[in-house]
């Protein structure tokens, strides 16, 4: 039997050929990143229109469209506490043309569902968080509750009679309200809706007593005089609503839930694309237009990169896990 041995010159020729190809491959990858986005980008909001995530995402999509010269189209896919929309993005091609927008409800999901149709750690990767807005307790303009103390006193005197609305069980407003109930030793009655905007309409129509919401989602009717805020989370009062006390000032200590909006991409999306998107979000948030938008919504006008976003998600998950266990809602 005869064996053919590759000679050193042949090996050298192969190495030289590979060396010649590698720069071309690198250039091709760079061109692909530079070319993104070459067609419209779909941004899935897993809740109904009009809520905090929808409002902040639509503004960011407008900015990204202007900056990149390509359309960023927001699609609302509500249902099952946002898991329907999240699942669609988790199954999408990891090419940068399908993104997920969500808020602090995302790290809540593993605590309220025994089994999810996606793996938050393996199927999606965080890109950037932006528009950090405090949570607020909102009542209608004609509500008999003028102060937080009034509402808490009534809830203590008549348990399960003070009603509040949310975009569904397991959402951030649901857990925020239950967290307040724990902190003040009262019981509220939860009335779930299909989305935060529907809950807002129920407060306006006096169908329910109050709503927990991100300031981003309710600032319009608040500034229009249709809603009143009894308290906001955070360490200081809002510059746009200086008359509204913080929860600490209203007598509820250590109650601080901040709602942010974030973007995720399917796992495996090229780093060149995710890094470009991260830069574009940061650029948008540094603009005068987005700074003004966030400030008017009572939000902190900044962006968090992927590393910081990851730390925020971990901290939020731990916080929500504690609340879930205390109210007997933990899926585990």
């Amino acid at each position: 039997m005869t064996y053919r041995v590759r000679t050193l010159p042949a090996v050298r020729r192969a190495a030289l050929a590979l060396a010649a190809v590698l720069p071309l491959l690198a250039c091709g990858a760079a061109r692909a990143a530079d070319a993104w986005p070459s067609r419209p980008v779909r941004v899935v909001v897993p809740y109904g229109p009009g809520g905090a995530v929808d409002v902040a995402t639509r503004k960011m999509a407008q900015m990204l469209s202007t900056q990149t010269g390509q359309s960023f189209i927001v699609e609302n896919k509500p249902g099952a506490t946002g898991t329907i929309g999240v699942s669609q993005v988790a199954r999408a091609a990891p090419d940068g043309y399908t993104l997920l927008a969500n808020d602090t409800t995302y790290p809540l999901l593993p605590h309220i569902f025994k089994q999810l149709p996606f793996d938050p750690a393996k199927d999606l990767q965080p890109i950037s968080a932006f528009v950090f807005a405090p949570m607020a307790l909102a009542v209608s303009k004609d509500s008999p509750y003028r102060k937080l103390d009034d509402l808490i006193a009534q809830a203590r005197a008549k348990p399960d009679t003070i009603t509040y609305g949310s975009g569904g069980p397991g959402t951030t407003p649901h857990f925020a309200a239950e967290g307040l109930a724990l902190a003040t030793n009262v019981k509220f009655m939860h009335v779930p809706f299909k989305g935060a905007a529907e809950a807002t309409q129920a407060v306006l129509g006096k169908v329910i007593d109050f709503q927990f919401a991100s300031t981003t989602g309710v600032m319009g009717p608040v500034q229009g005089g249709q809603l009143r805020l009894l308290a906001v989370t955070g360490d200081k009062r809002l510059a746009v609503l200086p008359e509204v006390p913080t929860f600490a000032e209203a007598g509820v200590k250590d109650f601080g839930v901040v709602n942010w909006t974030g973007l995720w991409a399917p796992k495996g999306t090229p780093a060149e694309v995710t890094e470009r998107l991260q830069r574009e979000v940061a650029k948008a948030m540094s603009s005068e237009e987005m700074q003004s938008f966030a400030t008017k919504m009572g939000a902190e006008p900044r962006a968090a990169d992927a590393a910081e976003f990851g730390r925020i998600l971990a901290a939020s998950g731990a916080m929500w896990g504690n609340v879930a266990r205390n109210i007997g809602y933990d899926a585990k």
Side-chain angles (χ1 to χ4, degrees):
M1 182 177 292
T2 303
Y3 294 93
R4 300 186 63 183
V5 179
R6 178 173 288 186
T7 62
L8 183 60
V11 173
R12 184 175 291 129
R13 285 196 299 273
L16 290 173
L18 180 60
V21 170
L22 287 176
L24 296 177
L25 293 175
C27 290
R31 283 195 297 270
D34 291 341
W36 181 90
S38 60
R39 64 178 189 271
V41 177
R42 176 175 169 244
V43 185
V44 175
V45 172
Y47 312 107
V53 180
D54 185 68
V55 171
T57 300
R58 288 184 184 278
K59 184 61 180 178
M60 179 56 71
Q62 175 190 335
M63 297 297 295
L64 294 178
S65 296
T66 300
Q67 290 173 192
T68 65
Q70 189 57 259
S71 297
F72 281 69
I73 302 169
V74 176
E75 293 184 10
N76 298 92
K77 298 290 182 181
T81 317
T83 59
I84 292 176
V86 176
S87 296
Q88 287 189 9
V89 180
R91 295 192 300 265
D95 55 10
Y97 291 95
T98 303
L99 305 174
L100 169 71
N102 210 324
D103 63 358
T104 47
T105 298
Y106 183 86
L108 249 174
L109 297 178
H111 300 290
I112 59 177
F113 290 100
K114 290 184 177 179
Q115 188 172 4
L116 288 167
F118 58 90
D119 187 327
K122 296 181 180 179
D123 295 338
L124 292 159
Q125 59 189 88
I127 305 299
S128 181
F130 53 93
V131 183
F132 290 73
M135 299 291 291
L137 193 155
V139 298
S140 71
K141 64 176 182 179
D142 300 321
S143 170
Y145 308 114
R146 309 300 298 182
K147 297 180 179 179
L148 182 62
D149 277 346
D150 300 334
L151 187 145
I152 297 300
Q154 181 67 7
R156 186 169 289 124
K158 295 183 177 181
D160 290 320
T161 61
I162 300 298
T163 56
Y164 73 91
S166 77
T171 57
T172 297
H174 172 210
F175 268 46
E178 292 301 324
L180 176 63
L182 279 173
T184 55
N185 195 30
V186 301
K187 289 186 177 181
F188 300 125
M189 179 180 289
H190 181 210
V191 181
F193 293 88
K194 291 182 180 178
E198 285 191 14
T200 301
Q201 290 302 313
V203 176
L204 291 171
K206 302 177 185 178
V207 175
I208 56 176
D209 293 307
F210 74 92
Q211 173 194 22
F212 252 101
S214 163
T215 55
T216 308
V218 296
M219 194 57 73
V222 168
Q223 293 179 327
Q226 299 164 294
L227 291 178
R228 284 188 292 108
L229 302 185
L230 300 188
V232 295
T233 60
D235 299 327
K236 58 184 179 180
R237 298 190 181 197
L238 302 180
V240 292
L241 295 171
E243 72 282 3
V244 180
T246 65
F247 276 93
E249 291 173 328
V252 183
K253 307 295 183 181
D254 302 320
F255 183 75
V257 179
V258 174
N259 191 63
W260 36 260
T261 301
L263 291 178
W264 287 257
K267 199 79 167 183
T269 299
E272 294 87 353
V273 173
T274 59
E275 289 167 5
R276 165 87 187 277
L277 181 57
Q278 185 174 276
R279 291 194 301 271
E280 294 294 346
V281 171
K283 178 181 177 181
M285 282 309 308
S286 68
S287 70
E288 184 177 341
E289 184 172 349
M290 281 300 286
Q291 294 270 313
S292 176
F293 167 81
T295 301
K296 288 179 180 178
M297 293 297 175
E300 183 183 358
R302 72 179 182 92
D305 62 19
E308 183 185 358
F309 193 11
R311 292 191 291 271
I312 291 170
L313 287 170
S316 295
M319 176 188 68
W320 290 135
N322 183 56
V323 175
R325 286 187 294 274
N326 275 286
I327 65 175
Y329 207 95
D330 198 338
K332 299 176 181 177

